[in-house]
Amino acid sequence: MSSVFSSKKVKEKLIIFTRYPEAGKTKTRLIPVLGKEGAVTLHRQLTEGVILQAKELQNLDISLEVHFTGGTKKLMEEWLGGEIFYAEQAMGDLGIKMSAAFENSFNSGMEKVVIVGSDCPDLNSQLMGLAFAELEGCDLVFGPALDGGYYLIGMRKFVPEILRGINWGSGEVFAQTIAIAEELNLTFANLLPLADIDRPEDLSILDFKY
């Protein structure tokens, strides 16, 4: 299946990491506040919002992929549409999943690859486009999250070391990643810090009805 953004010699790819929405298995840290249905509804809204923003990049000849966990490709197509390329995330921690996505993309001929999550309501097409622009002059680009992680990471060459030895899920993810980049003498750019919606205290930035 071809991407909605496919063109003759696409060399840039945007990958969205998300999960198929299943009540009780999605946004579990928010279930005590929102309930199972509220949490899964929020997840759907966040993912659909990122997809809409990503589609605005179609005139830039950027390939779009959605890498998912849970569900099946058929269920993902029924949810988000059949004109997107879907792939199951690799087994392992987040670093292994992203490393596999980057490696496969660069092995297929991509020259710039950006991965974003689906938890950041303020992530827009302008920031995604800026990430690709920054990779013209940098090895890496990051979108720092206010919780100490990041909502976006991009590379113009595969650097697996960047995704190893990180305490995923902690507030040290971004700092640890930057330390590795500096140790490897890699150049990088940082986008605007934004908030992810993962915990009950994060809900204050949303006008979410459940």
Side-chain angles (χ1 to χ4, degrees):
M1 181 183 299
S2 61
S3 163
V4 290
F5 302 160
S6 61
S7 65
K8 43 185 189 288
K9 287 277 187 179
V10 175
K11 295 294 184 180
E12 300 179 358
K13 181 187 291 184
L14 175 66
I15 300 173
I16 298 172
F17 267 39
T18 192
R19 167 181 286 277
Y20 181 73
E22 296 178 87
K25 297 183 179 180
T26 304
K27 290 289 180 198
T28 54
R29 284 183 286 182
L30 296 178
I31 290 175
V33 176
L34 300 181
K36 293 180 180 179
E37 291 301 326
V40 76
T41 297
L42 174 57
H43 172 70
R44 285 196 199 97
Q45 291 179 356
L46 290 171
T47 299
E48 290 165 9
V50 172
I51 294 288
L52 284 174
Q53 291 297 316
K55 286 182 176 179
E56 293 189 14
L57 299 178
Q58 59 186 333
N59 293 327
L60 301 180
D61 284 339
I62 295 173
S63 172
L64 172 65
E65 293 187 2
V66 171
H67 291 204
F68 67 94
T69 60
T72 63
K73 287 184 180 181
K74 184 175 185 297
L75 288 171
M76 293 297 295
E77 289 173 358
E78 291 173 354
W79 173 30
L80 297 173
E83 297 304 314
I84 298 173
F85 181 89
Y86 299 96
E88 291 190 61
Q89 295 175 19
M91 298 293 292
D93 65 21
L94 182 58
I96 292 172
K97 293 174 186 291
M98 291 196 294
S99 186
F102 276 120
E103 184 173 19
N104 290 337
S105 297
F106 284 114
N107 286 345
S108 71
M110 292 294 142
E111 295 176 356
K112 296 178 185 176
V113 182
V114 171
I115 296 177
V116 300
S118 58
D119 297 329
C120 185
D122 293 325
L123 175 58
N124 56 38
S125 58
Q126 289 77 20
L127 280 171
M128 296 181 204
L130 180 58
F132 286 98
E134 293 285 7
L135 289 173
E136 286 291 332
C138 297
D139 299 314
L140 306 165
V141 62
F142 299 100
L146 296 180
D147 62 5
Y150 50 78
Y151 60 86
L152 178 153
I153 178 173
M155 300 183 184
R156 67 176 179 183
K157 61 181 179 180
F158 181 45
V159 187
E161 295 87 351
I162 285 293
L163 301 169
R164 294 175 182 163
I166 304 295
N167 295 326
W168 301 108
S170 75
E172 303 299 318
V173 170
F174 180 63
Q176 290 176 342
T177 306
I178 292 299
I180 295 170
E182 291 174 340
E183 184 177 343
L184 295 173
N185 294 315
L186 297 170
T187 57
F188 58 88
N190 294 328
L191 305 179
L192 288 173
L194 298 177
D196 276 340
I197 308 300
D198 291 313
R199 304 160 300 178
E201 54 265 37
D202 301 327
L203 293 171
S204 61
I205 72 169
L206 290 177
D207 180 23
F208 176 64
K209 304 297 188 292
Y210 56 91

